Amino acid sequence: MAEVLDSPDPSVAEHVRRYVETDGESGHLEGGATNLVLTYRGRKSGKRYRTGLFYGVDGDRYVLVASGAGITHTHPQWYRNVVADPEVEVQIKGERFTARARPAEGAERERLWQLMVELAPVYRTYYEPRTRRVIPVVVLERTA
């Protein structure tokens, strides 16, 4: 299998390595929320990348928020990449599976945004007021 590149942010890369090495024993609950590892393909490079992200659960689907590491007016790289190539790999604790990522829209986005704000109020109190963009909500649906 092709090499996987970790986030250029040292703290994110360290979190992901720890998570993968311990099957999430260290890193699943981090920053006060549940975390998963998302592996995706770069839209320009074709290389595989991975990052750690907070997630929520909606039935049998997983929900992510594309807030970005800092306050920016552009969507994070991982989000732009999964929009271009929605076939992703997911690790939650020791379980690994493939999924299809898609942005939630309209009423679904609003409902899932509320779900995620309840899990991590920082999305509403810190991120949302500091950006001009609508922060995307992403749904992961298992494919295998």
Side-chain angles (χ1 to χ4, degrees):
M1 185 166 279
E3 175 186 18
V4 179
L5 303 170
D6 287 331
S7 170
D9 179 321
S11 66
V12 175
E14 185 275 331
H15 173 231
V16 167
R17 280 192 294 272
R18 202 169 18 92
Y19 193 115
V20 170
E21 288 171 2
T22 67
D23 281 341
E25 285 296 318
S26 177
H28 180 255
L29 187 59
E30 186 116 345
T34 53
N35 288 252
L36 57 72
V37 173
L38 181 73
T39 303
Y40 56 91
R41 192 161 302 279
R43 67 192 181 286
K44 295 178 184 175
S45 69
K47 294 178 180 177
R48 294 172 66 231
Y49 297 90
R50 67 184 175 187
T51 192
L53 298 165
F54 290 169
Y55 76 92
V57 177
D58 181 53
D60 61 352
R61 308 172 318 157
Y62 301 94
V63 182
L64 309 174
V65 174
S67 59
I71 303 307
T72 66
H73 299 297
T74 59
H75 299 314
Q77 289 291 335
W78 73 262
Y79 174 77
R80 292 187 288 181
N81 286 316
V82 302
V83 167
D85 183 354
E87 303 306 319
V88 298
E89 299 165 40
V90 179
Q91 179 177 343
I92 297 177
K93 295 186 177 179
E95 183 180 11
R96 293 168 175 82
F97 56 92
T98 58
R100 184 167 185 83
R102 67 171 177 79
E105 297 180 0
E108 180 189 40
R109 187 232 174 245
E110 291 307 312
R111 182 178 66 78
L112 296 176
W113 174 254
Q114 293 305 318
L115 169 81
M116 295 305 290
V117 165
E118 288 176 24
L119 294 175
V122 68
Y123 290 132
R124 171 157 292 134
T125 60
Y126 183 75
Y127 287 98
E128 191 175 43
R130 290 172 173 79
T131 187
R132 294 185 300 262
R133 66 190 173 94
V134 174
I135 298 172
V137 175
V138 176
V139 177
L140 299 177
E141 297 173 311
R142 285 176 181 260
T143 55

